[in-house]
Amino acid sequence: ERATSVQALVGATPWVGLDTTFAIFNTRITQPVFYVTDLSSGVAGYRNTAPTGTRGLEVTGRAALTANLGLRGFYVFSTPAGQNRVALLAVPGRADLLLAFPAHTLSLGADASAGAHWRFNLNLRLTSERAGFSSLDRAGVPKAATFQPLALVDAAVSYQNLITRGLDASVALMNSL
């Protein structure tokens, strides 16, 4: 598998404590590796396939509100843009989507610290609808489906520099909601 990505990126700091970036990208993957299972035999294995890729944009922003509180945001739009030749990723009737990948993702988060060691992190991730397969028909052929937009929450608490500098202990709740 070989990936080539070309990006054009512009960043700005409109005022102290606020960093923003805007990027456009084109990513091409030749001979991507997929793990597949033959539904009729149950045999599974890795397989190289035809080229695929995506094209899109990313917008990010980070704001330091105080020394102990920061906010961040991240938006990604991506589309196959005619680059997908992998049947496993093709969405019937939707050349603008790849199977299982949302076209839009928005992530909003906050970081806070308390004292010299405690860090708290909260993240909300929203995705647009995704195409996938929900079940098999009577002949064993996967049925295409559209999955609703998704909202996920991640929360974590960390104690930094436990016993020695650089050793952190964290507990997290991921992909909940």
Side-chain angles (χ1 to χ4, degrees):
E1 180 171 290
R2 183 178 188 165
T4 304
S5 187
V6 177
Q7 282 193 359
L9 174 74
V10 175
T13 303
W15 58 82
V16 174
L18 178 64
D19 298 315
T20 60
T21 61
F22 177 83
I24 56 173
F25 64 88
N26 185 63
T27 301
R28 182 103 173 121
I29 304 170
T30 56
Q31 295 186 330
V33 178
F34 287 90
Y35 185 79
V36 295
T37 302
D38 183 313
L39 298 175
S40 61
S41 68
V43 175
Y46 293 95
R47 186 171 92 188
N48 285 92
T49 62
T52 190
T54 60
R55 188 173 291 154
L57 65 94
E58 298 176 2
V59 178
T60 63
R62 291 184 313 185
L65 301 179
T66 69
N68 296 328
L69 179 63
L71 300 176
R72 66 188 178 294
F74 179 78
Y75 169 77
V76 176
F77 164 74
S78 64
T79 178
Q83 297 187 80
N84 183 47
R85 304 288 180 262
V86 180
L88 292 169
L89 294 177
V91 177
R94 295 288 307 266
D96 61 323
L97 293 177
L98 291 175
L99 188 68
F101 292 93
H104 304 274
T105 302
L106 175 66
S107 179
L108 302 170
D111 296 300
S113 61
H117 299 283
W118 290 101
R119 295 284 302 163
F120 303 93
N121 176 278
L122 184 65
N123 194 64
L124 171 64
R125 189 170 46 258
L126 306 169
T127 68
S128 60
E129 67 181 19
R130 296 166 292 123
F133 295 114
S134 60
S135 60
L136 302 176
D137 66 14
R138 291 180 189 220
V141 176
K143 287 193 220 176
T146 299
F147 297 100
Q148 295 299 314
L150 189 61
L152 299 171
V153 173
D154 301 337
V157 61
S158 300
Y159 188 86
Q160 297 178 325
N161 299 321
L162 176 70
I163 302 171
T164 185
R165 182 173 168 83
L167 179 62
D168 300 343
S170 299
V171 174
L173 176 65
M174 308 297 283
N175 297 330
S176 63
L177 230 185

